[in-house]
Amino acid sequence: LHEFQTIYIFLMQLRLQHQAERRDLGEIDDFINPKHLSQIEVMTLKSVFNQLNGLVSKLADIIKKQ
């Protein structure tokens, strides 16, 4: 559960940062162009998605056992 919370917080921070930048242009949206991310943000995002894949697999295994 803690892993999901950490991932969620990172994704929401990234989203809010993007929306704050877009607000100044008057065009708020949820699309984040990966080309506009820093190298660290891209690496972190890849790590987050890998962690999510692992967590989803674990959840699927738990559900199958029930």
Side-chain angles (χ1 to χ4, degrees):
L1 182 63
H2 182 264
E3 294 170 52
F4 276 122
Q5 290 172 331
T6 303
I7 290 169
Y8 180 79
I9 289 169
F10 170 76
L11 291 173
M12 289 304 103
Q13 286 175 336
L14 193 62
R15 178 178 173 243
L16 289 173
Q17 177 183 348
H18 167 75
Q19 287 182 341
E21 292 168 0
R22 299 292 295 176
R23 182 189 62 199
D24 295 339
L25 302 173
E27 301 173 359
I28 298 174
D29 62 29
D30 287 325
F31 176 74
I32 299 173
N33 188 336
K35 293 178 182 177
H36 298 155
L37 296 175
S38 70
Q39 186 175 5
I40 292 173
E41 288 170 327
V42 170
M43 289 172 36
T44 304
L45 203 50
K46 286 180 181 181
S47 175
V48 160
F49 287 133
N50 284 333
Q51 289 176 3
L52 274 176
N53 283 334
L55 290 170
V56 168
S57 293
K58 287 179 186 177
L59 284 174
D61 289 342
I62 291 169
I63 291 170
K64 286 179 186 176
K65 291 178 182 177
Q66 292 182 354

